[in-house]
Amino acid sequence: MTDALKRLSDEGVAIWLDDLSRTRITSGNLAELIDQSHVVGVTTNPSIFQKAISQGHGYDQQLTDLATRKVTVDEAIRMITTADVRDAADILRPVFDATGGQDGRVSIEVDPRLAHHTAPTVAEAKQLAWLVDRPNTLIKIPATKAGLPAITEVIGKGISVNVTLIFSLERYREVMDAYLAGLEKAKAAGLDLSKIHSVASFFVSRVDTEIDKRLDAIGGDAAKAAKGKSALANARLAYEAYEEVFAGDRWAALDKVRANKQRPLWASTGVKDPALKDTLYVDELVAPNTVNTMPEATLDAVADHGEITGNTVGGSYDRARADLDAIKELGVAYDDVVQLLEDEGVEKFEAAWIDLLNSTEAELKRLAPSEG
């Protein structure tokens, strides 16, 4: 074991765990990761909950109670997932208090079937914030076109948001704009901006997966040389955009009233290609005031052999631009890639949600008490 996780934390990268389950909560594992592995936050998504609820018997008692009450499957899922998020938030509360609300956060996502509908997303975000009822919750809203005005509206109501499924640099700038607009609405409403927090989840590994697949189809030495570079380049240029936006006049006006910067969060940091180092998307995305949310396998890999050598993002922007230019010259259409990834991201979460509905419905039937 090295002190790589401590060094990462010392460099200003908040380490969040991209996973949650009832067993992880009740076994003390989450508390242990906070205590020993510098974990200061948790992210969840429909896939994570689908996996958690479909494995083992950690949810049997609650499912039995819900079946006895004859609740709908949608209500059952919300009762189960918000209970986990509430309990995780309580475990992380000391971190939240110690960091002035910046970390110690747990994220829960709006129903992904609402991703292309603004008003229902806002309504669901308000309902989730009320259900969990913890100040250290982040409501996850996807960065779709319909999600952008929802982000502004929800932030404007004083609810902290994790913006998810960001793939493109253009969309990321729109997300930051939506956040600033939300803060301006909250300010106009007389809310305390120091209590409102947000992260922008910029997805990493899926960019390499899609672009490298296209480079393989193109073939040749130049295409081979370009592999494994696009995701880092994309993320680094996102950080450049973050630095630019939060150094501008619009931000300065909000900063004066104690608003919080929307931190970039590196998501999808588990490496998919075995040819790439398994800590690549951690070692090479070290920058101040960022979050890296990792699946446990990546967290363990960084702890074991991560190479944290200081800021690996600052000063990399020209190289990053050159790397993205190289794939365009080879015939890979960046705009097509990032739109496909956004569409697929929403579809994958929708599919996971439907799987969750189906498996939960089956469990409710299995555990329902016999009549009479």
Side-chain angles (χ1 to χ4, degrees):
M1 270 307 185
T2 68
D3 283 331
L5 291 171
K6 182 180 187 304
R7 289 200 298 277
L8 186 63
S9 181
D10 289 345
E11 289 291 340
V13 180
I15 300 166
W16 291 7
L17 177 70
D18 193 28
D19 191 52
L20 188 64
S21 67
R22 186 71 49 90
T23 301
R24 196 181 283 284
I25 291 166
T26 58
S27 67
N29 172 263
L30 178 58
E32 185 178 287
L33 290 172
I34 295 164
D35 183 53
Q36 298 180 12
S37 299
H38 305 279
V39 169
V40 294
V42 168
T43 48
T44 68
N45 62 46
S47 299
I48 284 169
F49 279 126
Q50 193 277 328
K51 180 182 174 186
I53 294 170
S54 65
Q55 294 179 350
H57 299 281
Y59 296 90
D60 279 7
Q61 184 57 61
Q62 188 178 11
L63 281 162
T64 299
D65 292 343
L66 292 167
T68 303
R69 289 173 50 214
K70 298 182 179 179
V71 303
T72 66
V73 65
D74 285 271
E75 185 183 353
I77 287 169
R78 276 312 181 206
M79 292 299 101
I80 291 166
T81 57
T82 55
D84 278 2
V85 168
R86 189 180 307 113
D87 289 344
D90 288 343
I91 293 168
L92 279 154
R93 183 60 187 264
V95 176
F96 174 81
D97 292 337
T99 60
Q102 178 158 272
D103 287 308
R105 296 269 172 182
V106 187
S107 297
I108 184 168
E109 189 146 352
V110 297
D111 185 333
R113 294 172 297 179
L114 305 177
H116 301 297
H117 305 280
T118 302
T121 293
V122 173
E124 170 111 339
K126 289 161 61 180
Q127 173 76 354
L128 285 174
W130 178 82
L131 272 174
V132 177
D133 193 27
R134 294 295 184 271
N136 49 330
T137 310
L138 289 170
I139 307 302
K140 290 179 80 174
I141 297 175
T144 57
K145 279 293 186 184
L148 294 170
I151 292 157
T152 296
E153 190 70 18
V154 173
I155 290 289
K157 293 182 182 301
I159 297 170
S160 295
V161 172
N162 176 343
V163 183
T164 188
L165 290 176
I166 308 170
F167 295 95
S168 83
L169 296 168
E170 180 184 1
R171 183 57 54 83
Y172 178 44
R173 286 184 179 274
E174 293 174 336
V175 165
M176 289 188 284
D177 181 73
Y179 175 61
L180 295 179
L183 289 177
E184 288 158 353
K185 286 190 74 162
K187 180 184 174 184
L191 299 181
D192 181 355
L193 300 197
S194 71
K195 304 289 188 188
I196 305 171
H197 287 258
S198 184
V199 294
S201 295
F202 201 86
F203 278 55
V204 184
S205 67
R206 295 186 195 181
V207 174
D208 269 344
T209 300
E210 180 60 31
I211 288 178
D212 288 358
K213 180 175 71 177
R214 298 185 185 204
L215 291 171
D216 282 337
I218 291 165
D221 291 343
K224 188 175 181 180
K227 287 182 63 177
K229 297 178 179 178
S230 302
L232 289 176
N234 202 38
R236 286 166 169 169
L237 292 177
Y239 192 80
E240 181 187 40
Y242 156 78
E243 288 183 312
E244 180 187 313
V245 168
F246 289 98
D249 292 342
R250 189 179 181 193
W251 167 250
L254 293 163
D255 189 38
K256 286 177 183 174
V257 287
R258 300 170 60 225
N260 297 291
K261 291 180 180 178
Q262 182 185 54
R263 287 183 293 172
L265 178 151
W266 311 127
S268 183
T269 55
V271 174
K272 308 289 194 295
D273 184 349
L276 300 174
K277 188 184 177 189
D278 58 358
T279 60
L280 179 69
Y281 303 131
V282 180
D283 296 350
E284 298 298 332
L285 289 176
V286 178
N289 208 39
T290 58
V291 179
N292 195 310
T293 186
M294 309 177 208
E296 191 169 19
T298 303
L299 185 75
D300 291 343
V302 174
D304 183 65
H305 53 265
E307 298 179 59
I308 309 303
T309 57
N311 188 332
T312 50
V313 175
S316 68
Y317 307 138
D318 288 344
R319 178 73 257 170
R321 266 185 284 277
D323 286 340
L324 287 188
D325 285 344
I327 63 122
K328 290 175 187 174
E329 288 168 13
L330 286 162
V332 176
Y334 174 86
D335 290 344
D336 179 67
V337 168
V338 293
Q339 187 59 57
L340 174 72
L341 290 172
E342 179 186 306
D343 294 343
E344 285 185 348
V346 172
E347 287 167 7
K348 285 176 181 176
F349 280 170
E350 280 185 2
W353 194 262
I354 291 166
D355 285 346
L356 178 56
L357 285 167
N358 292 337
S359 57
T360 302
E361 186 172 37
E363 288 296 286
L364 287 170
K365 288 177 179 175
R366 179 177 73 84
L367 296 166
S370 56
E371 297 293 336

